């Protein structure tokens, strides 16, 4: 591989997303021809005691507890923001103003006003890239679904069904940032449904015209404070989110997100029904895509399950990894996205479209409309949410 220059990374966050992103930076150049040397330059987190061990374990050259030092570090080219939601806005704006490319975790910001300002700043710095970690676009099966839909294989889209279920949010989970609006913005809505909204937009190429009804339910209104056995704190975000939408094309889409249902570990499912066929995908079977072709012979008509792992068949990303049937996992979605980001920064087309701050802002508009529809008990046109 000919290396034209280095890509020096600065990252905020050392927990779940910090590990996932670090793994992507380490492994992307081992499987993709990035034409750049990837350098893990600096990592930032608030807990200094654990930060040093994290940095040394993952190969970061430097570490700091001051995010302002990281985003202005002259040795950093790309700032990766994997911190809690309320810590996205200031570092992202400061990084762009300092001339850095930015990639941010979802949702883009804690509220719509912050997201709007982030898009405004990104537009001002047009030569800089601003991406969002909507990593599920990089599941090979989702990328193949995008190709099939864009090629007209299911015809005109009529209906979309999105369900995202996880079972970790029962009553014994203590109060932490995801259960507090000032830190998270919302509950299952922003944590899970944001991914579903992005997948709907990405796969169909359509936009939400209106939110026609929404229910946000907080089942467990109090949770024990961390490291306390007798003190309780108030939960002010949703445990369950349900909402219905009409799309600009006239199609309809339904969304369900919750962190409560027993037996579902990471059930991120999307179905898209057209007038010539359908597709469906479940992240818990992430290398499989189900496809129904209504034009096939009637006596053999039925769902086909495609194992999306055959590089020779043109399956997205498959040729960069393992032989057919040697399936990819969750962590590979981040590797695939980072490889596409570097291609984009090299002036080359990504394997599949990259999510930008603008994409994340459109998702944030829908999140805001859902909260308004729940509060007001009426249909909220997206034209009123800007």
């Amino acid at each position: 591989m000919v290396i034209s220059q280095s890509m020096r990374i600065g990252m905020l966050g050392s927990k779940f997303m910090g590990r996932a992103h670090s793994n992507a930076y380490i492994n992307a150049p081992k499987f993709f021809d990035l034409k750049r040397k990837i350098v893990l330059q600096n990592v930032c987190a608030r807990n200094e005691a654990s930060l040093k061990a994290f940095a040394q374990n993952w190969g970061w050259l430097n570490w700091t507890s001051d995010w302002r030092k990281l985003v202005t570090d002259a040795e950093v080219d790309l700032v990766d923001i994997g911190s809690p939601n309320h810590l996205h806005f200031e570092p992202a704006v400061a990084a762009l103003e300092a001339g850095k490319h930015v990639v941010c975790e979802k949702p883009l910001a804690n509220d719509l006003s912050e997201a709007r300002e982030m898009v405004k700043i990104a537009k001002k710095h047009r030569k800089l890239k601003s991406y969002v970690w909507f990593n599920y676009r990089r599941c090979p099966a989702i990328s193949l679904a995008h190709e099939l839909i864009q090629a007209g294989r299911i015809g005109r889209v009529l209906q979309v069904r999105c369900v995202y279920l996880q079972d970790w949010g029962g009553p014994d989970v203590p109060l932490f940032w995801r259960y507090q609006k000032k830190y998270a913005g919302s509950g299952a809505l922003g944590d899970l449904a944001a991914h579903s909204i992005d997948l709907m937009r990405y796969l169909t190429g359509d936009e939400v015209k209106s939110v026609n009804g929404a229910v946000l339910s907080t089942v467990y209104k109090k949770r024990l404070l961390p490291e306390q056995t007798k003190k309780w704190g108030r939960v002010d975000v949703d445990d369950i989110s349900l909402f219905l939408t009409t799309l600009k094309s006239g199609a309809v889409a339904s969304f369900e997100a919750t962190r409560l249902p027993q037996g579902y570990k990471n059930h991120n499912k999307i179905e898209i029904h057209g007038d010539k066929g359908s597709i469906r995908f479940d992240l818990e079977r992430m290398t499989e895509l189900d496809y129904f072709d209504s034009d096939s012979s009637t006596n053999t008509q039925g769902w086909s399950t495609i194992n999306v792992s055959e590089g020779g068949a043109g399956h997205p990303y498959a040729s960069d990894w393992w032989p057919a049937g040697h399936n990819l996992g969750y962590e590979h979605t981040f590797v695939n996205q980072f490889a596409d980001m570097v291609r984009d920064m090299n002036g080359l087309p990504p394997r599949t479209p990259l999510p930008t701050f603008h994409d994340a802002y459109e998702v944030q508009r829908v999140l805001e409309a859902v909260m308004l529809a729940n509060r007001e008990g009426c249909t909220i046109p997206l034209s009123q949410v800007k």
Side-chain angles (χ1 to χ4, degrees), residues 68-254:
R68 291 172 178 83
K69 288 184 179 180
L70 184 141
V71 301
T72 57
D73 186 345
E75 299 300 313
V76 167
D77 304 306
L78 169 69
V79 173
D80 177 359
I81 302 172
S83 47
N85 302 347
H86 73 296
L87 298 175
H88 290 182
F89 175 73
E90 284 192 85
V93 169
L96 288 167
E97 297 285 16
K100 316 295 186 185
H101 303 295
V102 177
V103 57
C104 186
E105 263 301 332
K106 46 58 53 187
L108 182 60
N110 226 30
D111 58 45
L112 186 61
S113 63
E114 288 185 349
R116 185 188 310 114
E117 184 65 17
M118 290 167 75
V119 172
K120 179 181 176 181
I121 299 297
K123 286 182 178 178
K124 185 175 79 171
H125 298 281
R126 293 183 182 275
K127 292 184 179 181
L128 299 174
K129 300 294 185 178
S130 54
Y131 308 107
V132 180
W133 285 109
F134 282 122
N135 56 295
Y136 295 135
R137 291 189 183 196
R138 263 66 193 173
C139 296
I142 286 290
S143 295
L144 178 62
H146 177 263
E147 292 178 2
L148 294 176
I149 294 169
Q150 297 306 308
R153 295 286 290 274
I154 67 169
R156 180 167 67 95
V157 172
L158 307 175
Q159 179 186 11
V160 184
R161 300 176 65 216
C162 299
V163 177
Y164 204 154
L165 313 177
Q166 296 179 343
D167 70 356
W168 59 265
D172 294 334
V173 177
L175 188 74
F176 72 111
W177 70 269
R178 287 197 181 276
Y179 291 112
Q180 297 174 284
K181 185 176 179 62
K182 64 180 179 180
Y183 301 127
S186 63
L189 176 64
D191 186 20
L192 303 180
H195 275 300
S196 299
I197 297 165
D198 180 70
L199 286 184
M200 182 282 294
R201 294 182 65 252
Y202 164 66
L203 289 172
T204 66
D206 210 345
E207 300 285 358
V208 172
K209 180 180 180 181
S210 61
V211 174
N212 302 91
V215 175
L216 301 178
S217 175
T218 304
V219 177
Y220 302 109
K221 295 179 173 57
K222 292 184 179 181
R223 292 180 181 270
L224 283 170
L225 297 177
E227 301 179 359
Q228 298 283 347
T229 57
K230 296 181 180 179
K231 293 185 178 181
W232 296 76
R234 186 171 70 92
V235 175
D236 56 359
V237 297
D238 56 287
D239 289 319
I240 301 171
S241 168
L242 303 169
F243 56 100
L244 303 175
T245 68
T246 299
L247 307 183
K248 288 186 175 180
S249 67
V252 295
S254 62

